[in-house]
Amino acid sequence: MLILEIVILLGAIVLAARLGGIGVGLAGGLGLAIVIFILGLPPGDIPIAVMLIILSVILALSVMQQAGGMGYMVKCAEKLLRKHPRYINILAPATTFVLTTLAGTGYTAMSVLNVIQQVAKENGIRPSQPLSSAVVASQIAITASPISAATAAMYVVVEQMGVSFGSALCVIMPAAIFGSAVAAFVASRQGIELKDDPIYIERVNKGLVNFIPPEIKLVEATKEAKRSVWIFLAGVSFIVLMLLFKPLIGHKLGSQDIIVITMLLTSFIMVLVCKVELTTIKKAPIFQDGAESLIVVLGIVWLSATIIGVHIPEIKVAAGEILQDYPALLAVVFFFTSALLFSQGATSALLIPIAASLHVDAATILASFVAVSALYITNIYPTTAFAIATDDTGSFLSKKWNGCFIINHPFFLPGLLGIVCAIPVGFMLANLVL
């Protein structure tokens, strides 16, 4: 039965890869129907907490986008990238890392990917290099964000082990930064020079590569746009302060409650102060992308949780002694599970409580946490798929030229080596801080 369940899960993932986008969630729905209605498995836990955090953050980002704040942030990022094009392999991942850390979702990174590819090809730089590092950095940054669903799910567990929020940040944030830096370095070395790529040359000759940058509207950002950014950042700061000074304040609220309530309040304040029409919020592009991510989580994550959840008792028996003897293997489990679940938040919510029940210590959980970012193994996750779609030079198309000899897309090697290098840093910091 286990083999059949694994085949169904892998089949759903393969189908999801073919469908892409919202089809990933629909493929999960098909798998759920088979394992529950036909095989008789009990439904697993729906990742409600993860979905609520995603929903509330996406709402706040959508209001900010309609107020012009997202465009203002992208303009600032674009100005930085165009001012220093030679350093795009450094600045691109740094930009997406900061955006994702502040927003708690990688969908903010999608807003600058087109700018990254345009600046890269205008300066003869292979777009797959900065795009790969930017995507990987945005995924790793989820583990550094104080308002991401993954961090919230993790901290609920380690807080019960006596770890303060400040101590947790001192481990997960430097580890994520180091991992992103390694990924950026590896990505910058991948693939041949753009001018020597035969696919690129062929596409140029066929007129398929657009060298004319999109018109940059020299419109000054409105006061409302700037206000919305500051209001959103104030909300993020409030969440961090509430968690950092929880013992001093004396409240008993969990991180999930703080994030959801604060994001709802932040959205309300932005609507009033920035004069956002309520009817336009649901039309915001990031709101639509967020709705897609919720379907993905609901479908494929619920399917994985259903199949894995049935076998948790056996997993505990089989993995308990191994993890006690070799705690670093927890990172390996995080890595492959996140690749199957397509969600850092769902992986954290599913596995970290199990790890705690197996008496894995807080230091190991924090050090291994960065490994829940392996969403780049397949290229069907929205940010990876969008990065490939936005590049018209063909720099992603062939592993013969793009520098990736393991899986036919150049996200894998930078992401893998970034996480592998970040985990020892996490262990070192955890032993110093805790």
Side-chain angles (χ1 to χ4, degrees):
M1 181 67 79
L2 175 60
I3 295 176
L4 179 59
E5 293 165 6
I6 293 175
V7 169
I8 293 171
L9 177 59
L10 294 178
I13 291 173
V14 171
L15 177 60
R18 293 180 63 87
L19 296 176
I22 203 168
V24 175
L26 300 182
L30 174 63
L32 279 167
I34 295 173
V35 299
I36 292 174
F37 295 148
I38 298 177
L39 300 185
L41 294 185
D45 294 330
I46 301 176
I48 295 294
V50 173
M51 295 174 68
L52 287 176
I53 291 174
I54 292 174
L55 181 60
S56 63
V57 172
I58 288 296
L59 172 62
L61 290 172
S62 299
V63 176
M64 184 173 71
Q65 186 172 43
Q66 293 305 89
M70 189 64 70
Y72 172 61
M73 292 176 68
V74 172
K75 279 293 181 184
C76 291
E78 181 176 0
K79 184 177 180 181
L80 176 65
L81 293 172
R82 290 190 180 279
K83 188 176 181 181
H84 306 284
R86 290 185 178 181
Y87 304 106
I88 193 169
N89 278 321
I90 299 173
L91 294 176
T95 299
T96 57
F97 186 95
V98 171
L99 287 174
T100 303
T101 301
L102 292 176
T105 172
Y107 281 94
T108 53
M110 294 174 67
S111 59
V112 297
L113 293 182
N114 189 53
V115 175
I116 291 171
Q117 70 86 21
Q118 193 71 41
V119 173
K121 69 183 179 185
E122 286 173 11
N123 291 274
I125 298 170
R126 188 179 187 86
S128 62
Q129 294 176 347
L131 284 173
S132 297
S133 60
V135 168
V136 170
S138 74
Q139 293 182 4
I140 291 179
I142 291 292
T143 63
S145 173
I147 65 170
S148 71
T151 302
M154 177 273 295
Y155 185 63
V156 166
V157 175
V158 298
E159 183 183 25
Q160 297 173 359
M161 299 178 177
V163 178
S164 68
F165 191 70
S167 297
L169 284 183
C170 286
V171 176
I172 63 176
M173 193 166 282
I177 292 172
F178 184 77
S180 297
V182 171
F185 175 79
V186 174
S188 69
R189 299 297 188 271
Q190 279 193 301
I192 62 174
E193 292 289 331
L194 185 63
K195 60 183 177 61
D196 299 325
D197 189 330
I199 296 177
Y200 168 71
I201 295 172
E202 181 183 355
R203 291 180 66 84
V204 169
N205 293 334
K206 290 182 178 180
L208 299 177
V209 181
N210 178 21
F211 288 100
I212 303 174
E215 293 184 4
I216 303 173
K217 296 181 180 179
L218 301 176
V219 179
E220 184 70 21
T222 64
K223 293 180 179 179
E224 288 78 11
K226 295 179 179 179
R227 283 175 189 165
S228 68
V229 173
W230 286 112
I231 292 170
F232 182 83
L233 293 179
V236 174
S237 300
F238 177 77
I239 292 169
V240 173
L241 292 174
M242 284 287 285
L243 292 171
L244 278 176
F245 300 105
K246 184 175 181 178
L248 184 63
I249 299 172
H251 69 80
K252 297 183 179 179
L253 295 172
S255 53
Q256 172 195 322
D257 299 325
I258 295 173
I259 293 171
V260 172
I261 295 171
T262 302
M263 287 294 102
L264 288 173
L265 177 61
T266 300
S267 301
F268 179 75
I269 295 174
M270 283 191 290
V271 166
L272 290 182
V273 175
C274 304
K275 302 175 184 177
V276 177
E277 291 289 337
L278 291 174
T279 55
T280 66
I281 296 173
K282 62 184 178 182
K283 299 177 183 178
I286 201 166
F287 191 88
Q288 298 170 14
D289 293 335
E292 179 179 297
S293 72
L294 289 175
I295 300 299
V296 170
V297 170
L298 179 61
I300 202 72
V301 175
W302 192 11
L303 170 63
S304 301
T306 295
I307 294 176
I308 294 173
V310 172
H311 300 285
I312 284 179
E314 300 101 289
I315 292 173
K316 286 185 176 181
V317 172
E321 293 183 2
I322 296 176
L323 286 177
Q324 288 179 10
D325 293 335
Y326 305 99
L329 287 178
L330 180 63
V332 178
V333 177
F334 283 170
F335 184 89
F336 287 105
T337 304
S338 65
L340 292 176
L341 293 183
F342 299 100
S343 169
Q344 296 99 328
T347 302
S348 299
L350 178 66
L351 292 184
I352 292 180
I354 297 175
S357 70
L358 294 173
H359 305 294
V360 176
D361 61 88
T364 299
I365 292 174
L366 289 171
S368 304
F369 182 55
V370 68
V372 303
S373 304
L375 280 61
Y376 50 77
I377 289 184
T378 60
N379 58 5
I380 64 174
Y381 193 72
T383 46
T384 53
F386 184 77
I388 294 173
T390 196
D391 173 36
D392 60 5
T393 67
S395 63
F396 282 98
L397 294 182
S398 174
K399 66 180 181 182
K400 183 177 182 180
W401 312 115
N402 66 24
C404 188
F405 304 103
I406 303 173
I407 294 179
N408 190 23
H409 62 76
F411 303 103
F412 182 78
L413 200 57
L416 175 65
L417 294 179
I419 288 178
V420 167
C421 293
I423 292 169
V425 173
F427 273 102
M428 178 187 70
L429 293 172
N431 290 329
L432 290 174
V433 172
L434 302 184

